[in-house]
């Protein structure tokens, strides 16, 4: 009898993953639509004495199911940790705020004092932030130590709402004599841009207790970086700073270097893909040399850093006894520069701490050096620079296709979120900002690889946007341009569809939205469809990397009469014919 009880208990523990007051349904893939679907879960929550943590990630929770779960949480006063990432897959965005409001209200009613709130990978946008606004300002979050909102699509608006909520939380908690002391903030891939980052920087400056800040891939340039630098200076306990894949340029890098001089606890700095450039790298090297005594990792990869600056960084880490890794891959060192860097690290007995240099971009061209010097004198916003370059190039173009290209540029230039400022050769950014056949050809033989490296294919929407930008310059009558376009879309799409985390249905959905075939809840403005879009699409659907299950979806929407396709009759017919043939053969 006793053995049976023990066995039952072991089975129950294995099923729910109980640990330290934790009830876990992580990764079970449950579709929880209504109260009936969560009856068992609700009972387990109610019966769990001393519940401190609930894991719902990897399930999909509807409004009614959330309300039922919330009801069960209303009596859990010891509750502390919400592990609720990736729990709204397949839900309408309008469903998420009421679901979050219900759960938040329950925690407030219970008198819970949270330490962890993780809502990452929920893509709820600004409205989702509104769904937790009241909770964040309440006593339930006065004790919050970790806030994780990675990949939530907050945008500028959501960033501002979040910043205001954190500021109010600090104000409210301070009034009660226990100031809000957030330690970990994670908000990568949220398109916060300068305005969102600056708003959050103001909140961070007030809070002053941060130990980890992770904000990669947010489209932040030097203005936002400078604001964050000022805020980090006020967080004396900062240990980890990850701003990977934003656009510092010299201005942002120098501002950040100055701020880091005031910090002594920093262990990890990730400024990879941040275009810090030589002047920025030298400023950071000076800071490293003079301070940061317990630095363990420094990532300045893919930053257009030249040999001299890279060597300055290497010398700067000479006395960093705790250093585990220095990453300078993907810069402009050249073969001799790579050897010199390795030699310096070898001389300091630190060779094993230098990361790979396999993706070095080679020595910079002479005109790159001139651009770099110009930027030292007047480092304008990268996107503004690219617009000016584009205007100059348009004035010089005299071929018969000029008007058509300008129309495509006008309709697609600033409607996408594809990053235009990642640390790759400037011409790649310029092409993706304002596509033209001439620019694509000028990228040279490595154009496919360069574009593939530039685009964040883990984001299905960005992959779709990039595909349309490349294909917009397709010219059936120009074999060079045609071959270049198809090579680039092949490389990009093959990489995307082969990635384990890539969601092909999201890619197709985004593509249909951008082509104007379905409406978006986000009010995304469709592109002006040109034949090249459909001709390139016809090419990729015939490739082995394209998922066959998406063919029927594309065929269904392409078969419908739509004004956006009126100017692309023959290209649309060819695409439909290929889709029908593929479906019949599968």
């Amino acid at each position: 009898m006793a053995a049976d009880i023990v066995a039952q208990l072991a089975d129950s523990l294995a099923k729910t993953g109980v640990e330290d007051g934790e009830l876990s349904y992580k990764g079970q893939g449950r579709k929880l639509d209504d109260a009936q679907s969560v009856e068992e879960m609700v009972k387990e929550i109610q019966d769990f004495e001393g519940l401190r943590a609930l894991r719902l990630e990897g399930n999909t929770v509807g409004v009614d199911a959330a309300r039922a779960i919330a009801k069960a949480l209303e009596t859990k006063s010891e509750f502390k940790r919400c592990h609720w990432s990736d729990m709204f897959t397949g839900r309408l965005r309008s469903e998420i705020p009421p679901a979050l409001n219900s759960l938040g209200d329950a925690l407030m009613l219970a008198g819970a004092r949270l330490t962890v709130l993780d809502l990452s990978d929920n893509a709820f946008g600004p409205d989702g932030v509104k769904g937790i606004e009241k909770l964040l300002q309440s006593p339930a979050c006065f004790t919050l130590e970790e806030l994780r909102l990675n990949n939530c699509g907050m945008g500028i608006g959501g960033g501002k709402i979040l910043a205001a909520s954190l500021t109010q939380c600090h104000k409210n908690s301070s009034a009660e004599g226990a100031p809000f002391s957030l330690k970990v903030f994670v908000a990568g891939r949220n398109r916060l841009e300068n305005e969102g980052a600056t708003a959050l920087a103001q909140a961070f400056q007030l809070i002053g207790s941060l130990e980890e800040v992770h904000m990669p891939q947010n489209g932040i340039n030097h203005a936002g970086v400078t604001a964050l630098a000022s805020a980090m200076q006020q967080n004396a306990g900062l240990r980890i700073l990850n701003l990977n894949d934003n656009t510092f340029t010299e201005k942002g890098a120098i501002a950040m270097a100055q701020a880091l001089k005031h910090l002594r606890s920093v262990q990890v700095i990730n400024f990879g893909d941040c275009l810090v450039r030589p002047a920025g790298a030298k400023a950071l090297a000076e800071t490293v040399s003079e301070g940061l005594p317990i630095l363990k990792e420094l990532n300045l990869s893919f930053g257009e850093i030249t040999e001299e600056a890279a060597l300055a960084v290497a010398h700067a880490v000479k006395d960093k006894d705790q250093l585990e890794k220095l990453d300078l891959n993907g810069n402009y060192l050249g073969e001799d520069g790579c050897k010199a860097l390795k030699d310096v690290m070898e001389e300091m007995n630190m060779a094993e701490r230098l990361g790979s240099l396999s993706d070095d971009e080679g020595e910079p061209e002479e005109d790159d050096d001139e651009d770099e010097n110009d930027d030292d004198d007047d480092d304008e916003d990268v996107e503004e620079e690219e617009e000016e370059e584009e205007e100059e190039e348009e004035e010089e173009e005299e071929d018969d296709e000029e008007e058509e290209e300008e129309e495509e540029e006008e309709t697609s230039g600033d409607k996408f979120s594809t990053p235009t400022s990642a640390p790759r050769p400037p011409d790649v950014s310029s092409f993706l900002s304002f596509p033209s056949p001439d620019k694509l050809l000028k990228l040279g033989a490595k154009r496919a690889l360069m574009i593939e490296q530039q685009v964040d294919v883990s984001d299905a929407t960005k992959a779709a946007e990039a595909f349309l930008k490349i294909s917009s310059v397709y010219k059936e009558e120009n074999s060079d341009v045609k071959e270049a376009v198809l090579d680039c879309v092949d490389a990009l799409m093959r990489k995307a569809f082969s990635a384990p985390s890539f969601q092909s249905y999201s890619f197709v959905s985004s593509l249909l939205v951008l082509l104007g075939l379905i409406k978006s809840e986000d009010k995304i403005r469709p592109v002006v469809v040109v034949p090249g879009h459909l001709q390139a699409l016809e090419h990729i659907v015939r490739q082995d990397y394209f998922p066959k299950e998406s063919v029927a979806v594309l065929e269904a929407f392409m078969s419908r009469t739509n004004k956006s396709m009126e100017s692309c009759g023959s290209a649309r017919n060819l695409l439909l014919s290929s889709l029908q043939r593929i479906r019949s053969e599968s």
Side-chain angles (χ1 to χ4, degrees):
M1 183 69 176
D4 291 338
I5 295 174
V6 171
Q8 290 174 8
L9 178 60
D11 180 67
S12 176
L13 288 172
K15 180 178 70 173
T16 57
V18 179
E19 180 181 351
D20 187 25
E22 178 181 287
L23 186 56
S24 177
Y25 302 93
K26 180 179 179 179
Q28 295 185 10
R30 300 191 188 190
K31 193 171 186 296
L32 308 172
D33 294 325
D34 49 32
Q36 184 178 357
S37 65
V38 293
E39 280 183 354
E40 180 185 350
M41 184 183 295
V42 165
K43 187 175 187 308
E44 289 174 343
I45 293 172
Q46 290 172 334
D47 293 345
F48 198 118
E49 294 294 332
L51 181 66
R52 291 181 175 82
L54 178 62
R55 288 190 172 274
L56 294 175
E57 60 263 66
N59 299 286
T60 175
V61 182
V63 176
D64 292 336
R67 286 175 180 153
I69 294 170
K71 188 70 177 174
L73 289 172
E74 288 180 358
T75 60
K76 303 300 176 181
S77 59
E78 297 179 53
F79 195 81
K80 294 182 180 298
R81 302 188 300 278
C82 306
H83 298 286
W84 296 345
S85 63
D86 187 24
M87 69 175 210
F88 294 115
T89 301
R91 300 291 170 183
L92 294 175
R93 184 167 289 185
S94 59
E95 293 182 79
I96 301 177
L100 290 174
N101 272 316
S102 296
L103 293 165
D105 288 346
L107 296 176
M108 289 185 282
L109 183 61
R113 293 293 183 268
L114 298 182
T115 58
V116 177
L117 178 58
D118 185 356
L119 290 166
S120 298
D121 301 316
N122 279 312
F124 47 47
D127 289 341
V129 184
K130 291 179 182 178
I132 58 172
E133 186 176 12
K134 186 165 57 170
L135 173 64
L136 287 174
Q137 298 178 23
S138 75
C141 284
F142 288 179
T143 52
L144 192 65
E145 296 178 355
E146 297 183 19
L147 178 59
R148 300 177 181 273
L149 297 169
N150 202 57
N151 191 31
C152 287
M154 289 189 288
I156 294 172
K160 289 182 175 180
I161 296 168
L162 177 61
S165 297
L166 296 178
T167 300
Q168 191 62 44
C169 181
H170 188 271
K171 180 180 178 180
N172 294 346
S173 59
S174 296
E176 293 194 6
F180 177 45
S181 298
L182 187 68
K183 294 180 180 178
V184 178
F185 180 82
V186 182
R189 297 180 62 192
N190 271 290
R191 303 179 188 177
L192 296 170
E193 301 182 18
N194 282 343
E195 291 185 56
T198 300
L200 285 166
Q202 293 171 351
F204 296 161
Q205 191 158 349
L206 180 66
I207 293 168
S209 57
L210 288 165
E211 296 179 6
E212 295 185 26
V213 175
H214 303 264
M215 298 175 66
Q217 293 184 18
N218 269 298
I220 307 168
N221 62 34
H222 69 78
V225 171
T226 300
L228 287 170
S230 178
M232 293 306 103
Q233 189 172 323
Q234 304 303 316
N235 288 263
L238 188 70
R239 295 184 298 105
I240 299 174
L241 182 57
N242 176 8
L243 295 176
N244 186 283
D245 201 4
N246 290 292
T247 308
F248 282 40
T249 67
E250 290 91 330
K251 280 188 177 180
I254 291 170
M256 191 60 75
Q258 290 298 318
L260 289 170
K261 287 183 177 181
H262 299 270
L263 303 174
R264 305 287 294 175
S265 301
V266 175
Q267 298 177 11
V268 177
I269 296 173
N270 186 344
F271 296 161
D273 284 308
C274 285
L275 203 70
V276 300
R277 293 178 177 159
K282 289 177 183 178
L284 289 164
E286 180 182 331
T287 295
V288 171
S289 178
E290 295 176 357
L292 304 178
I294 58 173
L295 186 66
K296 292 183 177 180
E297 293 184 23
L298 177 59
N299 183 347
L300 297 178
S301 60
F302 297 99
E304 292 191 359
I305 299 170
T306 52
E307 178 183 349
E308 181 184 0
L311 294 176
V313 173
H315 286 296
V317 302
K318 180 179 180 180
D319 297 321
K320 305 304 168 188
D321 297 335
Q322 297 187 37
L323 188 75
E324 296 173 0
K325 184 175 182 180
L326 172 62
D327 191 346
L328 288 167
N329 197 19
N331 284 298
Y332 288 165
L333 306 185
E335 185 176 344
D336 291 341
C338 288
K339 183 179 184 303
L341 180 59
K342 290 176 181 178
D343 288 345
V344 167
M345 295 296 286
E346 182 72 40
E347 290 171 7
M348 299 188 300
N349 295 318
M350 301 178 78
E352 73 283 356
R353 302 177 200 180
L354 178 65
S356 170
L357 299 174
S358 60
D359 293 321
D360 185 72
E361 298 281 1
E363 295 182 16
E365 301 292 337
E366 288 184 10
D367 55 352
D368 287 338
D369 292 335
E370 292 173 7
D371 290 341
E372 185 182 292
N373 293 331
D374 291 340
D375 288 332
D376 286 339
D377 297 330
D378 187 13
D379 184 19
E380 296 296 330
D381 185 309
V382 170
E383 293 179 358
E384 293 174 356
E385 291 175 356
E386 289 168 353
E387 287 184 17
E388 291 172 3
E389 291 170 5
E390 173 60 22
E391 289 171 1
E392 292 173 1
E393 289 181 21
E394 285 177 354
E395 291 174 1
E396 294 173 359
E397 288 177 353
E398 297 178 354
D399 55 59
D400 295 334
E401 298 170 351
E402 180 178 1
E403 291 183 4
E404 181 180 347
E405 289 170 8
E406 286 179 348
E407 180 181 349
E408 291 172 11
E409 290 164 3
E410 180 182 347
T411 56
S412 65
D414 60 356
K415 305 306 178 189
F416 295 136
S417 60
T418 304
T420 62
S421 52
R424 297 288 187 269
D427 284 348
V428 181
S429 296
S430 181
F431 169 72
L432 288 175
S433 297
F434 303 95
S436 74
D438 185 54
K439 282 185 182 180
L440 182 63
L441 294 178
K442 283 182 178 179
L443 291 179
K446 294 184 178 180
R447 63 178 71 88
L449 176 61
M450 293 161 66
I451 291 175
E452 175 190 328
Q453 291 176 337
Q454 175 90 342
V455 178
D456 176 17
V457 296
S458 65
D459 186 319
T461 299
K462 290 179 181 177
E465 292 168 352
F467 167 78
L468 291 178
K469 287 198 170 191
I470 298 167
S471 60
S472 69
V473 306
Y474 181 99
K475 301 293 178 186
E476 182 66 35
E477 67 277 10
N478 187 322
S479 59
D480 290 339
V481 173
K482 176 181 176 180
E483 182 180 353
V485 168
L486 297 184
D487 283 348
C488 290
V489 295
D490 271 338
L492 185 67
M493 293 294 96
R494 189 177 298 279
K495 180 179 179 181
F497 286 116
S498 63
S501 61
F502 189 74
Q503 297 177 322
S504 57
Y505 70 91
S506 294
F507 170 80
V508 172
S509 177
S510 296
L511 199 61
L512 293 173
V513 167
L514 292 165
L515 290 172
L517 298 176
I518 59 177
K519 291 183 178 180
S520 166
E521 294 178 11
D522 301 330
K523 298 182 180 179
I524 295 174
R525 191 171 178 179
V527 302
V528 172
V529 182
V530 296
H533 290 142
L534 306 187
Q535 288 165 319
L537 184 57
E538 190 273 337
H539 169 79
I540 69 168
V541 299
R542 291 187 284 105
Q543 307 309 308
D544 57 1
Y545 55 74
F546 193 85
K548 302 308 178 192
E549 61 269 20
S550 297
V551 169
V553 177
L554 279 176
E555 182 187 353
F557 281 96
M558 287 294 168
S559 300
R560 298 178 182 178
T561 302
N562 192 290
K563 289 184 179 180
S564 67
M565 299 288 171
E566 286 180 353
S567 63
C568 308
S570 59
R572 175 172 170 267
N573 291 337
L574 178 62
L575 172 58
L576 267 175
S577 176
S578 294
L579 290 169
Q580 291 165 355
R581 183 175 65 255
I582 294 167
R583 190 166 60 84
S584 65
E585 292 173 353
S586 59

